[in-house]
Amino acid sequence: MTSPTTSTFLDLACSTCAEPHDAGRVQTVCRVCGRPLLARYDLERAAPVFRSGEFRSRVASMWRYAEVLPVFDPDAVISLGEGMTPLTRAPRIGEALGLARLFVKDEGINPTGSFKARGLSAAMSKAVELGASDVALPTAGNAGGAAAAYGARAGIRTHVAMPKDAPRPMIDEVRAYGAELELIDGLISDAGRWIGERAREGGWLDVSTMKEPYRLEGKKTLGYELWEQLGELPDVILYPTGGGTGLIGMWRAFAELAEMGLVGERRPRMVSVQSSGCAPVVRAFAAGAERCEPWRDAATVAPGLRVPGPFADDLILRALRESGGEAVAVDDEDVIADLRLASAAEGIDFCPEGAAAVTALRRLVDAGRVDRDELVVVFNTATGLKHPELRGVWPC
Ligand SMILES: *Cc1c(COP(=O)(O)O)cnc(C)c1O
Ligand SMILES: [Zn+2]
């Protein structure tokens, strides 16, 4: 190990029973209760870098926040330039919706065209640091491409299982990066079972969403970037939610920023956006439930939202409620219309998940749940380029 990074990572603790876990070896979920593990940092030691603004002159990637990322060995960091994506004003969409301060966080600019790059950069780096040889994951599409790219970069064998009806460019991408791909006749949940069995037999590191602790840490940087780019936190965040990693991650980032004295008590209202064809979080939120029931026959044009049973459902629902936020389901028809409208209005390449957030925002403004002068951030979580079927270019 060369001179260590400035990481202040301490250890892991269970999100449910608080059982501590040693961070010096491979960990997946809590050994006591099976729920997700969360990383802990020495934030007192991390704070000066953020208070002084020292981090601002560093590399233009999410690794500029090294103090609050889990990798110690700089040589283990697998980076393709993920993060530090534009936070772009969206005045025309704002005007159409009746909002004065609307921003789009354009995650389509990331390597492999989606914000999955953040999570996989962190997870793959930690896998290198801990000496893993094989990494595996189920995906609805974008996480597979990111895993394959970061796996190639890391020299780690990568095994991906994806629904066979995922968008073709997502399938091609995994193969192009040289990962092993299994196409599954089913959903991401079926792909998860396939990976789970083989991972146990083959000794692969299973980095399924929230079943290992480090993808969350990469996605957490979304929250740090909003703070850095705005100089404050927004009033409302619309987040297209599948497994919920980014939403839970941002909620943790805001808590860390507050603990370091960098923001006050006020927090953004977090809004989960889902498709009416797969809305387990929306249904559980409306019912006042703490956990989600698996959604049956999940179907939507937005693969990132086609997650019938998010593993960290309790953490998603808790963040929504603590934030005073809510959960909204939108119809595919409206999403496809908004994808075209929003892309043409701003020159931002909207993916269906990002367009769903625009649709949801319109609904909230119309219902008087978001005010004209509030600072609103919509997440465009990926590029639209992997969706030729929605652009009227290819036959559907
Ligand atoms: C994975 C994905 C999502 C959902 O992200 P989570 O953090 O798992 O909720 C949203 N949009 C796109 C484009 C995705 O690939
Ligand atoms: Zn536990």
Side-chain angles (χ1 to χ4, degrees):
M1 182 154 140
T2 51
S3 85
T5 64
T6 48
S7 174
T8 68
F9 182 37
L10 296 171
D11 66 354
L12 299 158
C14 176
S15 58
T16 299
C17 76
E19 176 76 9
H21 287 67
D22 176 9
R25 43 182 287 247
V26 170
Q27 299 284 2
T28 53
V29 293
C30 176
R31 67 172 160 261
V32 178
C33 74
R35 298 303 297 152
L37 297 175
L38 303 172
R40 295 193 286 205
Y41 297 85
D42 182 351
L43 294 175
E44 219 165 291
R45 202 150 60 78
V49 168
F50 294 103
R51 286 200 197 112
S52 67
E54 191 191 319
F55 69 97
R56 288 177 203 274
S57 57
R58 293 181 180 167
V59 61
S61 85
M62 70 175 204
W63 292 97
R64 73 209 264 110
Y65 309 116
E67 278 74 10
V68 292
L69 288 171
V71 180
F72 297 111
D73 177 0
D75 293 338
V77 171
I78 306 301
S79 177
L80 293 164
E82 54 294 324
M84 289 313 286
T85 55
L87 181 67
T88 308
R89 267 188 182 277
R92 294 199 186 87
I93 304 174
E95 196 182 332
L97 269 54
L99 289 170
R101 293 194 295 159
L102 175 61
F103 291 82
V104 174
K105 182 71 169 154
D106 190 7
E107 289 291 299
I109 305 299
N110 277 299
T112 69
S114 90
F115 70 164
K116 292 295 194 300
R118 296 178 189 261
L120 271 306
S121 175
M124 205 60 83
S125 298
K126 202 62 193 175
V128 167
E129 186 162 79
L130 295 173
S133 63
D134 289 68
V135 162
L137 89 175
T139 175
N142 281 317
Y150 286 89
R153 188 81 188 163
I156 282 185
R157 277 188 301 273
T158 306
H159 311 268
V160 174
M162 189 188 291
K164 70 178 201 290
D165 60 353
R168 185 61 203 243
M170 298 185 186
I171 292 171
D172 294 343
E173 182 184 27
V174 171
R175 293 195 173 123
Y177 289 122
E180 186 188 89
L181 177 65
E182 179 75 16
L183 291 176
I184 302 288
D185 188 9
L187 296 170
I188 187 173
S189 37
D190 304 297
R193 273 187 288 279
W194 192 92
I195 288 287
E197 284 162 22
R198 283 163 193 77
R200 268 190 301 281
E201 287 164 17
W204 306 342
L205 175 59
D206 182 348
V207 298
S208 294
T209 302
M210 296 302 291
K211 291 186 179 168
E212 65 77 47
Y214 302 116
R215 284 173 63 186
L216 177 67
E217 295 306 292
K219 286 265 191 92
K220 184 180 80 178
T221 59
L222 292 168
Y224 279 85
E225 277 178 35
L226 289 182
W227 166 75
E228 179 180 349
Q229 291 173 321
L230 290 168
E232 59 178 324
L233 298 184
D235 295 308
V236 184
I237 293 175
L238 287 104
Y239 186 84
T241 306
T245 327
L247 186 123
I248 299 163
M250 277 191 278
W251 195 240
R252 290 179 56 69
F254 301 152
E256 290 176 359
L257 287 164
E259 200 178 323
M260 290 189 278
L262 300 162
V263 297
E265 284 302 301
R266 195 185 58 81
R267 298 275 192 288
R269 306 201 297 283
M270 308 296 286
V271 179
S272 265
V273 178
Q274 298 202 300
S275 163
S276 50
C278 180
V281 172
V282 177
R283 188 170 61 188
F285 185 84
E290 278 168 33
R291 304 295 302 266
C292 295
E293 295 293 325
W295 191 273
R296 288 179 48 202
D297 303 325
T300 163
V301 293
L305 307 183
R306 202 164 63 142
V307 180
F311 181 65
D313 50 356
D314 48 347
L315 301 185
I316 299 172
L317 289 160
R318 208 188 296 163
L320 295 179
R321 291 191 177 116
E322 284 177 8
S323 76
E326 54 196 293
V328 179
V330 295
D331 294 338
D332 276 357
E333 271 172 39
D334 299 332
V335 169
I336 294 168
D338 273 331
L339 183 145
R340 293 176 186 161
L341 281 176
S343 298
E346 303 290 359
I348 293 171
D349 190 6
F350 275 85
C351 63
E353 296 83 354
V358 173
T359 306
L361 178 57
R362 179 186 292 107
R363 287 250 307 273
L364 292 179
V365 173
D366 288 349
R369 307 209 33 92
V370 174
D371 291 336
R372 180 182 163 77
D373 293 317
E374 287 193 300
L375 202 167
V376 180
V377 173
V378 160
F379 270 88
N380 185 43
T381 43
T383 172
L385 280 172
K386 295 187 211 177
H387 290 280
E389 80 284 6
L390 301 180
R391 299 173 156 215
V393 180
W394 281 5
C396 290

